[in-house]
Amino acid sequence: MRLNTLKPAPGARAERTRVGRGIGSGLGKTAGRGHKGSFARSGKGKIKAGFEGGQMPMHMRLPKVGFRSRIAKDTAEVMLYQLDKLEAGEIDFAALRAAKLVPSTAKKAKIVKKGELTKAFVLKGVLATAGAKAAVEAAGGKVVDGE
């Protein structure tokens, strides 16, 4: 084997189809592009996603609905009944994360009133809803520097 004798395996490289080379070739005149229209023109073969031929596209005909908060994905919700399973005492964000009540992607935690609270907790640096705050204080605990 020599460098000057190297060539690709048979069938590995297909010959380029020559278009627009006369009637006898089978791809003369319009060169397989048909007659007129955007696909017949040079550089115009692509249609943008969602384009419906000039008709008002579906995504513009339908009404805009809803709102998704970007802040919500950073804040994890912790229910009162989940909090009740922990040992009574001081609870902060690190304690909630250690107890696996808050996912690792969350940056903040908020206590939400759902379920009952029987133990006294001191919540530090954790957000709480008004109902949750009242429930914590009713159980003999308190919320410190949260909102």
Side-chain angles (χ1 to χ4, degrees), residues 99-139:
K100 297 194 175 168
L101 293 177
V102 174
S104 59
T105 54
K107 294 182 177 102
K108 294 185 276 185
K110 189 170 197 172
I111 310 299
V112 181
K113 187 186 177 203
K114 186 172 183 180
E116 297 297 315
L117 195 62
T118 56
K119 301 171 190 168
F121 289 103
V122 177
L123 301 175
K124 278 195 172 179
V126 179
L127 302 171
T129 61
K133 207 179 279 188
V136 168
E137 287 164 1

Side-chain angles (χ1 to χ4, degrees), residues 71-89:
I71 301 165
K73 68 179 180 188
D74 294 338
T75 309
E77 288 186 351
V78 180
M79 315 296 174
L80 283 178
Y81 70 86
Q82 293 174 315
L83 207 61
D84 206 37
K85 292 175 185 171
L86 299 176
E87 292 296 316

Side-chain angles (χ1 to χ4, degrees), residues 21-77:
R21 294 293 179 275
I23 297 166
S25 70
L27 285 169
K29 193 179 175 252
T30 55
R33 287 171 170 262
H35 293 277
K36 297 184 187 174
S38 67
F39 294 106
R41 322 247 183 251
S42 71
K44 304 278 183 181
K46 289 195 174 93
I47 292 175
K48 286 181 180 161
F51 182 69
E52 297 181 18
Q55 169 178 294
M56 186 62 72
M58 182 65 79
H59 69 90
M60 291 173 78
R61 284 192 301 245
L62 297 173
K64 292 189 272 188
V65 176
F67 167 76
R68 291 206 178 145
S69 172
R70 288 193 189 151
I71 301 165
K73 68 179 180 188
D74 294 338
T75 309
E77 288 186 351

